[in-house]
Amino acid sequence: MFQNKETTPISELGEFGLINHLTQHIKTERDTTITGVGDDASVMKIGNKYCVQSSEIFAENIDFDLTFHPLKHLGYKMVVATISDVLAMNVIPSHLLVNIALSSRFTLEAIEELYAGILIACKEYNLDLVGGDTGSSQSGLVVSMTATGFTKNKESLTYRGGAKSNDLLVSTGDLGGAYMGLQILEREKKIFLEHKEMQPDLEKYDYIVGRQLRPLARLDVVQTLLDLDIVPTSMMDISDGVASEINHMGTAGKVGFNIYEQKLPIDPQTLDVALEFNLNPSIVALNGGDDYELLMTLDQKHFDKIKGNPDLTVIGHVTESAGAYNMVTQADQVFPIEAQGFSDKS
Amino acid sequence: MFQNKETTPISELGEFGLINHLTQHIKTERDTTITGVGDDASVMKIGNKYCVQSSEIFAENIDFDLTFHPLKHLGYKMVVATISDVLAMNVIPSHLLVNIALSSRFTLEAIEELYAGILIACKEYNLDLVGGDTGSSQSGLVVSMTATGFTKNKESLTYRGGAKSNDLLVSTGDLGGAYMGLQILEREKKIFLEHKEMQPDLEKYDYIVGRQLRPLARLDVVQTLLDLDIVPTSMMDISDGVASEINHMGTAGKVGFNIYEQKLPIDPQTLDVALEFNLNPSIVALNGGDDYELLMTLDQKHFDKIKGNPDLTVIGHVTESAGAYNMVTQADQVFPIEAQGFSDKS
């Protein structure tokens, strides 16, 4: 069908480039559509409420590796990754749809494990699993999930683009752990494939391996914000790394960011293993994905409310220099932050 | 992980068996959940409105064959298949999420074609495409779509299980065309693979090939029902074939069905090609999938309103004999209808 036309490899655009290209001409027509393509989740007005939806797709050997990812953990993690985008809108997710396509190499018992992990996550995050589709695939496992949440308060919805100059940049939890966990798992996989008699000893890496295999969704933090009567000016979940997320937030809000290196929350295990791999821990914290923490900007007036809260760390602030993303070291040196995942560098 | 356990091949359960097995213990907890797993779509109560959602997954070489399915038509068809489940709840779909995982063999131009078809369907059915996810897959194309619609009228929602004895069984459009179109496409593909110099001439099969490659969603019929002030007692979309759908409706409603062979709406081209393939056209009409027509049960009081409507054909009625599904021939012979797709027979 296309043999006589010019062809462009998808790889030339990258994931975000492809999404931007495909969605650039999409227009929404309905007055119930508040937010369409381009934020963590879509927002629809339904009577006197707002419906927030996000959908994700996960493909085997791209988004997960079953040689080291137990299916129960994987099911749990997929739910976390999906609801994380609804949480990033400052909304509590309530309902989940799960679509699964799987090849015949999967046994019923394997799929029961995946489902068990999904149901554990549903219980933990108080989600009702209300439907979906199960079918075959020719090779491997592909899962797609859709999470929905509702709010009556339009003013509490947080978008990517609301950051204002001098707002605080705040991260939940700690950063870079999931990425270093993945490095350990991939190293051990390589060793195992070369020396099958060796059993990997992951115990000393338990924290970071856990961050990779079974991350948590920060529903607790969204609840905390509600309790503290704080509405962030903007928010995203950290799925691709802080450097990538501030790029999205900066572009959408026409602002810049300064991040203070010594403020980056890094777990000691992440730090040790980064050094073991000869990686700069700050670069790991800024570029590692899969943490599913929340990154938000807050008006400075809220500082006293969050001061000392171990879940919320001020890592920088918003500047009026649109598109300028900098890391400031303890010695006051300034380095531009490049928004790139590790996968692009290797 | 499972090496010491008993294992069960998925194929032992079949698609519906697998879904039933996985979902049998799912309980919903939220009082906003009206309908969870087990109908065409899920229903949630949001303030004074009802949110209806359905999600589908489509995998290459399982749900579609790109050797004969143009990507633009495919994108359109996937939207039809997805919104068809919302329509089957008697609700007009309004919003769509699209997730795509694709391998590097796809060019940008190919994905633009797929997206063009999706956007044509969005325009035709007045849907706002509000989000989704685009990622890689290791092999082939997998698409997952989620459709959402809203209604304020709880009484207008139609479920699988509401059929009452003596209700009319009504089908929209005509039946079996998409299945016979698929037979033509697969025959021509085989000929083409053996004799590459031959170009298939599909013109004389235009109607049934069109039914397979680019079926229509019956949004018009749901609008007609609204205009005629008719609420079906039950409704499903015909994705797996009438025989399969009445089995679901009969099980859910604890009723049986009698279908009159001479009432089955079959297009002349479907009839001719069925005979060309030595197939019984009635069996094709009952078991062929992919038509995406609607199958509904109506209280007899509505008969005068639908009489003579070319879109709505009374093909039988509901009986109190739970689980008894029969076809009655012109000679008053009665045959039990087996709920099986053709794929199980071959």
Side-chain angles (χ1 to χ4, degrees), chain A residues 1-2 5-10 13 15 18-19 21-23 26-30 32-33 35-37 42 44 46-49 51 53-57 59-63 70-72 92-95 97 99-104 106-113 115 119 125-139 142-146 148 150, chain B residues 1-2 5-10 13 15 18-19 21-23 26-30 32-33 35-37 42 44 46-49 51 53-57 59-63 70-72 92-95 97 99-104 106-113 115 119 125-139 142-146 148 150:
Chain A
M1 195 166 178
F2 308 109
K5 295 185 189 173
E6 291 288 315
T7 60
T8 314
I10 294 287
L13 287 94
E15 184 192 341
L18 176 62
I19 292 174
H21 182 85
L22 291 175
T23 59
I26 292 178
K27 286 196 181 65
T28 58
E29 303 284 345
R30 290 179 174 269
T32 51
T33 302
T35 308
V37 170
S42 55
M44 291 155 276
I46 312 310
N48 54 354
K49 297 224 178 185
C51 172
Q53 275 192 329
S54 181
S55 199
E56 296 277 324
I57 193 161
E60 187 175 348
N61 293 332
I62 302 286
D63 300 297
L71 280 158
K72 193 186 273 187
I92 305 284
S94 55
H95 294 85
L97 300 172
N99 294 344
I100 299 176
L102 70 161
S103 62
S104 56
F106 289 90
T107 63
L108 177 62
E109 289 71 18
I111 296 311
E112 283 176 336
E113 283 292 302
Y115 238 77
L119 292 177
Y125 299 108
N126 196 17
L127 304 163
D128 274 1
L129 175 54
V130 289
D133 184 21
T134 304
S136 302
S137 92
Q138 204 173 42
S139 64
V142 181
V143 178
S144 174
M145 293 191 182
T146 304
T148 306
F150 302 94
Chain B
M1 193 163 180
F2 308 108
K5 295 184 187 172
E6 291 286 315
T7 59
T8 314
I10 295 285
L13 288 93
E15 184 192 340
L18 176 62
I19 293 173
H21 181 85
L22 291 175
T23 58
I26 292 178
K27 287 194 181 67
T28 58
E29 304 284 345
R30 289 179 175 269
T32 50
T33 302
T35 308
V37 171
S42 55
M44 291 154 277
I46 312 310
N48 55 354
K49 296 225 179 183
C51 171
Q53 274 191 330
S54 181
S55 201
E56 297 276 324
I57 192 162
E60 186 175 349
N61 293 332
I62 302 285
D63 299 297
L71 279 158
K72 194 186 272 186
I92 305 285
S94 55
H95 294 84
L97 301 171
N99 294 344
I100 299 177
L102 70 161
S103 62
S104 56
F106 288 90
T107 63
L108 176 62
E109 289 72 18
I111 296 311
E112 283 176 336
E113 283 291 301
Y115 238 77
L119 291 177
Y125 299 108
N126 196 15
L127 303 162
D128 273 2
L129 175 53
V130 288
D133 184 20
T134 304
S136 302
S137 93
Q138 205 173 41
S139 63
V142 181
V143 178
S144 174
M145 293 191 183
T146 303
T148 305
F150 302 94

